[in-house]
Amino acid sequence: MSTHRHASAAESTAFAHRLLLALGVPTADAATVARCLVLADLRGVDTHGLMRMPGYLERLRRGLITAKPTLAIDRRTPIAGALDGQHGFGFVTATFAMADAIAVARTYGIGIVTVRRSTHFGMAAAYVLQAIEAGMMSMVFTNASRAMPPWGGREAFLGTSPFAAGAPGGKLPPFVLDMAPSVAARGKSRKAERRGEQIPLGYALDKDGRPTTDPTAALAGEVLPMAGHKGSGLAIMMDVFAGVFSGSDFGGDVSNQYETFDRPQDVGHFFLAMKPDLFVAEADYKARMDTLFARIRNVPKAAGFDEILLPGEPEAREMARREQTGIPYVAAEVAALDAEAAKAGVAPLVTS
């Protein structure tokens, strides 16, 4: 018997939308936040889905997220713009920034937008997919609060800042890469804690620097960089491009959205959109992408593997499945969402 309760994507989206409206978020912005959250759930990225709502709403009630930012691009060069997020929802500022980068790329071949004074923007792949839908290649960077030591260090300093990139495909699926520079995203420990589960050994250390499978102990400690110095280097790169370069907080100063309630987060983002036919004809680009992906898939399979999947394919398959079966939530997650609904005076999430 399943321990999960399921909600359709439409119901999850409507639920998030009405919660945000009740707290004064404009209709269009509420729709953007709801869409991004549910997209993460549909793709199986439950760490960045609807269960993030209680934390966001608490910061919104405290004035640490601006419900109604007035966003405008400060054009620095014909291809580059800067955006002051005014501490609005990261989903809203990121979607706005990527839309501008795409528009500029249509004219000049490439568009770049940096964002300062933003907040957590959820699943980075959401903005890569936004670019792919517009027929664009893209790169998306963000920085984050302290969670991981630099290689050779013994206390959390770097964020688990995701690196995302995408490129449209031809006849085959697009390339969609979204990865944290840590062994596992910190959100996986939060998810395990909510669900009463253990985390794999090697994900994190407790506050005393000991490996742990207890998600609560992991959240009190630190996650580990993937591949040692390589993961550490990627995290530093995110802080350079999204933090230093944008004018946002950096170097351990981005505040933790779950622990710091005396100031906004001041997260920084970096968005790049590029026309795939900038250097080769569009038909040639698509054919070359198909050739690359076909060659990858045709590599002899290692023991235990039936197929070779490309970045983004597991999530796309999960999305197709969940669009049919609904999004699974455990009882504790539904209870937390229902508590938010009661607090806001709106209808609860409908599950089956």
Side-chain angles (χ1 to χ4, degrees):
M1 183 176 179
S2 174
T3 59
H4 292 89
R5 293 163 64 180
H6 292 74
S8 68
E11 169 55 24
S12 293
T13 302
F15 173 75
H17 192 256
R18 59 181 176 262
L19 263 181
L20 292 161
L21 288 178
L23 271 72
V25 178
T27 298
D29 289 354
T32 295
V33 176
R35 175 182 55 78
C36 290
L37 288 171
V38 175
L39 179 60
D41 275 336
L42 281 172
R43 290 175 65 82
V45 189
D46 304 301
T47 54
H48 289 65
L50 204 58
M51 277 316 303
R52 289 269 188 164
M53 282 292 284
Y56 294 136
L57 296 180
E58 178 61 23
R59 296 187 71 82
L60 187 61
R61 283 188 288 264
R62 289 172 177 258
L64 297 172
I65 294 178
T66 303
K68 299 178 181 179
T70 304
L71 303 179
I73 298 292
D74 177 7
R75 188 70 56 207
R76 300 299 178 90
T77 77
I79 68 164
L83 177 64
D84 180 351
Q86 300 176 1
H87 307 302
F89 273 105
F91 308 96
V92 174
T93 60
T95 300
F96 187 91
M98 180 56 88
D100 185 79
I102 291 167
V104 170
R106 291 193 195 284
T107 300
Y108 295 103
I110 187 169
I112 301 170
V113 178
T114 63
V115 182
R116 66 186 186 281
R117 296 208 308 162
S118 186
T119 60
H120 186 259
F121 72 4
M123 179 182 70
Y127 316 108
V128 166
L129 291 167
Q130 179 184 351
I132 286 173
E133 288 172 4
M136 296 284 176
M137 303 174 75
S138 64
M139 297 183 75
V140 175
F141 304 157
T142 187
N143 64 359
S145 59
R146 296 174 181 238
M148 182 174 75
W151 181 244
R154 61 185 180 90
E155 67 177 36
F157 179 78
L158 301 172
T160 54
S161 311
F163 172 99
K171 295 178 182 179
L172 296 179
F175 170 77
V176 181
L177 176 68
D178 181 357
M179 54 177 273
S182 53
V183 173
R186 198 167 176 82
K188 290 190 176 182
S189 292
R190 292 193 180 93
K191 175 183 172 182
E193 184 181 47
R194 285 197 310 269
R195 298 188 172 190
E197 300 169 350
Q198 298 287 291
I199 58 172
L201 199 63
Y203 270 23
L205 305 177
D206 66 15
K207 63 181 178 61
D208 297 316
R210 297 172 300 195
T212 182
T213 60
D214 180 351
T216 302
L219 290 170
E222 57 201 31
V223 296
L224 296 171
M226 67 170 190
H229 63 283
K230 296 179 182 180
S232 178
L234 283 174
I236 294 170
M237 184 177 83
M238 297 302 98
D239 216 11
V240 170
F241 280 83
V244 174
F245 189 48
S246 71
S248 200
D249 268 353
F250 66 97
D253 286 340
V254 173
S255 65
N256 187 310
Q257 63 181 323
Y258 293 100
E259 299 173 3
T260 304
F261 297 100
D262 59 351
R263 63 185 178 89
Q265 280 194 281
D266 197 5
V267 178
H269 313 309
F270 173 94
F271 302 91
L272 180 148
M274 186 166 59
K275 290 178 67 176
D277 61 350
L278 190 58
F279 301 110
V280 296
E282 182 178 4
D284 191 21
Y285 163 82
K286 290 181 177 179
R288 291 166 68 85
M289 286 294 288
D290 283 343
T291 297
L292 171 63
F293 286 178
R295 289 176 178 174
I296 291 171
R297 285 178 168 174
N298 288 331
V299 169
K301 313 302 181 291
F305 287 83
D306 296 324
E307 61 180 332
I308 294 174
L309 295 175
L310 298 163
E313 279 194 297
E315 294 85 354
R317 291 183 182 183
E318 184 64 15
M319 182 169 178
R321 189 181 72 82
R322 291 189 177 191
E323 284 176 332
Q324 298 298 316
T325 64
I327 298 168
Y329 302 104
V330 299
E333 292 170 340
V334 175
L337 294 172
D338 286 350
E340 290 296 336
K343 193 181 299 184
V346 302
L349 179 69
V350 177
T351 61
S352 59

